[in-house]
Amino acid sequence: MPDTLRPEAPPSAFAPFANRRYRGYWLTGLAGNFGWLIQSVGAAWLMATIGGSPSMVGLVQTSIAVPMMLFALPAGAVADAFGKRTIIIWAQLALFLVSAVLAIAAYLDLLSPWSLLAFTFLIGSAKAMSHPGWQSMVSEIVERAQLPQAIALNSVGFNLARTMGPALGGVLVATVGAFAAFAVNAIANLWVVFVARGWPAGERKAGLPPEPVGAAILAGLRFVALSPNMLVVMARGAIFNFAGISVMALMPLVARDLLGGDSRTYGLLLGAFGLGAVGGAFAANRLSRRLSPEWRVRVGFGFFALGTFGLGESQWLWLSILSAMLTGACWLVTLSTLNTTVQMSSPRWIVSRCLALYQTSIFGGSAAGGLLWGLIADHGSLRISLTVSAVVMGLGAVAGLVLKLRDFDAATVDIHAPWTAPETRLDILPKSGPILCETQYRVPLANEDAFLAAMAERRQARLRRGARRWTLSRDLLDPELWTERFKTATWLDMQRMHLRRSVSEAQMSERLRALIDPSVPLRLHYHLVRDPAVEARPEDGHIRPPIES
């Protein structure tokens, strides 16, 4: 089948709205996004009017993006370990408090460019703590088949807010003052806190205690580092946001300097961007019927470059509005495709951490881009900055020839049948360890090459799930005898690792069974590793409760 074709038509773009829980989640997100966009307009325009240079205006976006790089992964680890609702409530409460203080400071005219950046950094920090849990919660509310449509509808909600929020924000700033925009954001976040309190807390299906945050962070880093498609998604997202953030960061200057407008012009351009994104959401559903994720991303990169170039060269409001609409549509198509790829390619046990690392990469691109494009506009010109960013975006489309996205495979993320820990003959605690797992295989010499290829695949899968120090050895006296060994820090970690086995890994086990000698049963052995130089006890040794692989 050609790479550009999809085998099955996806559900309707509005199918998730049939789910009552999703409707409530979506409406709550809409309220929060309204507040977020309105305060963003207030912050950007206030910076431009209190003496901030073009580079300082660009740093508004950077100050929001940097916390995503710093705090998204810990937030994702907490969300996976302790529940998404908990971290969402606390983070939204922090957003309410910071926004309320910012509104008071703006009303009393106490803000300087640097103090405004400090507040936007705190707001970005609270948003970073909420974002991974918020985004990954959708995967618990809707069925997997509707997840792409649900993610696109989430983007529609954000961009509906972007369409009307900036216009309202512009009116508030122009008629009342920037403090009103910050006050609206505080009220919106407080509303999210009250609604989120009624969401289900979620249950831990594995029946195991939460993974420590530090260990959970390392597990997320290890999983992504050993997942080539995840790395490609993050690289493409970082490139896209690095180049594309120029539009959002420099939009106030486009309105003021290129078009000679005021805050209403700025709101109109942002509204056009949001309206284009809403149209892009419906276009994305149609494109998914015809194009693979890779080609949707390439189209998004290419046309975003065209729209950015148009914004930099246009001196007419109508052309700038059309360019803003084009960039908005491409922003939605590209980022919703990348976001969907992350969520569809992540097992449920680690989805928040995968999203957090993805957000770290894209906001890292935003932070670097917001700084660079602002500096170029400051020391060169606004047109040069937008033109260079358009060129970088065009090169990002070409990067797809090397960094190519793969399509989704549910077997790699769906968990296989539940695993039951063996009854040990040693009095062992959940935190006892290290634990060594050993499996022996008798492989006919004719199957050696296929066996090694399968074991290379198995090694990567084991390490992704938490195994350490994986080795495969061959008996010197019996060449057909192979031994696989790996460790985990504790017996609890060993149980977690086995409970995370996916359907594709179970299929891999079946392929391995076809390569080994069927007359020799495949058995696992678990050893409690002890250092006799540190502690010697009569019961030290190993436990060998055999179970089927």
Side-chain angles (χ1 to χ4, degrees):
M1 179 177 293
D3 179 60
T4 57
L5 296 182
R6 300 279 293 165
E8 296 180 1
S12 163
F14 297 101
F17 279 140
N19 183 327
R20 180 181 60 83
R21 291 179 61 197
Y22 178 77
R23 290 198 302 272
Y25 165 83
W26 188 86
L27 290 171
T28 305
L30 182 64
N33 287 330
F34 257 105
W36 175 259
L37 267 298
I38 289 173
Q39 76 86 25
S40 294
V41 170
W45 189 256
L46 183 61
M47 179 62 77
T49 56
I50 62 175
S53 64
S55 60
M56 294 292 286
V57 174
L59 281 175
V60 171
Q61 293 295 327
T62 300
S63 67
I64 295 173
V66 166
M68 289 291 185
M69 299 170 56
L70 299 177
F71 306 127
L73 181 55
V78 172
D80 281 331
F82 297 98
K84 301 172 179 61
R85 186 188 70 173
T86 300
I87 192 171
I88 288 172
I89 289 175
W90 283 105
Q92 293 296 138
L93 185 60
L95 276 169
F96 160 71
L97 293 174
V98 175
S99 298
V101 173
L102 176 59
I104 294 172
Y107 180 76
L108 298 176
D109 198 22
L110 299 177
L111 294 171
S112 67
W114 285 107
S115 62
L116 177 58
L117 285 179
F119 273 107
T120 55
F121 179 86
L122 291 175
I123 289 174
S125 299
K127 191 72 171 178
M129 295 302 294
S130 171
H131 213 46
W134 182 278
Q135 288 212 328
S136 59
M137 181 167 283
V138 67
S139 64
E140 298 185 358
I141 294 176
V142 302
E143 298 177 355
R144 176 175 292 276
Q146 295 181 357
L147 190 56
Q149 288 71 36
I151 293 172
L153 286 173
N154 286 350
S155 297
V156 168
F158 178 78
N159 287 289
L160 282 174
R162 190 193 296 275
T163 301
M164 294 174 282
L168 179 58
V171 171
L172 282 174
V173 171
T175 59
V176 182
F179 79 91
F182 306 139
V184 167
N185 187 44
I187 295 170
N189 287 307
L190 187 61
W191 169 249
V192 174
V193 170
F194 282 115
V195 174
R197 291 174 62 216
W199 291 346
E203 299 179 358
R204 215 175 312 282
K205 297 180 181 179
L208 299 178
E211 195 171 9
V213 174
I217 290 173
L218 292 176
L221 291 169
R222 181 173 54 245
F223 182 90
V224 169
L226 293 168
S227 303
N229 198 43
M230 287 284 186
L231 295 175
V232 168
V233 172
M234 292 175 187
R236 301 290 290 282
I239 295 170
F240 184 82
N241 273 52
F242 172 75
I245 198 63
S246 63
V247 171
M248 298 304 300
L250 302 178
M251 192 79 82
L253 303 179
V254 171
R256 187 190 68 183
D257 299 342
L258 297 185
L259 299 177
D262 55 15
S263 61
R264 294 181 181 84
T265 306
Y266 174 47
L268 188 60
L269 289 177
L270 284 182
F273 185 98
L275 185 62
V278 172
F282 302 111
N285 198 55
R286 290 177 174 271
L287 288 172
S288 65
R289 302 171 189 266
R290 300 176 179 273
L291 301 179
S292 69
E294 170 58 36
W295 274 102
R296 296 202 299 275
V297 168
R298 290 187 193 181
V299 168
F301 268 86
F303 281 97
F304 196 103
L306 181 62
T308 304
F309 182 78
L311 276 174
E313 294 299 318
S314 172
Q315 296 181 354
W316 298 281
L317 179 60
W318 65 268
L319 182 57
S320 296
I321 288 175
L322 290 177
S323 297
M325 290 179 66
L326 179 59
T327 57
C330 295
W331 185 272
L332 186 285
V333 169
T334 305
L335 291 183
S336 68
T337 300
L338 295 174
N339 189 307
T340 300
T341 301
V342 172
Q343 296 212 40
M344 296 288 282
S345 303
S346 304
R348 297 306 94 193
W349 61 270
I350 203 168
V351 64
S352 294
R353 280 164 281 180
C354 290
L355 276 169
L357 285 168
Y358 164 70
Q359 289 160 11
T360 299
S361 68
I362 64 173
F363 280 100
S366 295
L371 176 61
L372 177 63
W373 309 128
L375 288 173
I376 293 176
D378 206 6
H379 298 287
S381 73
L382 183 58
R383 283 193 171 88
I384 290 175
S385 183
L386 289 169
T387 300
V388 173
S389 70
V391 171
V392 173
M393 186 67 78
L395 293 175
V398 178
L401 298 174
V402 178
L403 302 173
K404 187 176 180 180
L405 296 179
R406 294 202 302 260
D407 212 339
F408 322 126
D409 182 3
T412 63
V413 297
D414 290 341
I415 300 301
H416 192 243
W419 178 84
T420 302
E423 292 292 334
T424 66
R425 297 175 188 173
L426 189 66
D427 187 12
I428 187 170
L429 299 174
K431 294 185 178 180
S432 297
I435 302 296
L436 172 68
C437 180
E438 178 183 275
T439 310
Q440 290 188 333
Y441 307 87
R442 182 164 292 279
V443 183
L445 295 178
N447 295 341
E448 179 181 332
D449 290 342
F451 172 77
L452 289 174
M455 290 305 291
E457 196 176 337
R458 166 160 279 194
R459 171 188 178 274
Q460 189 174 38
R462 297 253 204 231
L463 293 175
R464 271 202 304 263
R465 288 188 280 132
R468 303 178 183 179
R469 300 180 181 273
W470 187 97
T471 62
L472 179 66
S473 58
R474 190 176 194 178
D475 196 299
L476 291 175
L477 303 181
D478 187 355
E480 290 189 347
L481 186 61
W482 297 79
T483 304
E484 175 196 14
R485 296 183 180 90
F486 61 87
K487 290 182 179 180
T488 59
T490 66
W491 180 235
L492 186 60
D493 290 327
M494 183 67 71
Q495 295 179 68
R496 286 196 182 101
M497 198 212 73
H498 283 296
L499 285 165
R500 293 166 177 171
R501 187 171 72 155
S502 68
V503 172
S504 66
E505 292 170 57
Q507 295 169 348
M508 182 197 313
S509 295
E510 292 302 317
R511 295 197 304 272
L512 277 170
R513 289 178 189 276
L515 298 173
I516 64 177
D517 188 342
S519 65
V520 180
L522 183 64
R523 303 170 80 87
L524 293 178
H525 300 279
Y526 296 98
H527 304 258
L528 176 60
V529 179
R530 307 303 291 265
D531 186 352
V534 176
E535 181 180 5
R537 295 178 180 174
E539 67 271 19
D540 280 354
H542 59 265
I543 49 177
R544 293 178 175 269
I547 63 168
E548 293 186 359
S549 173

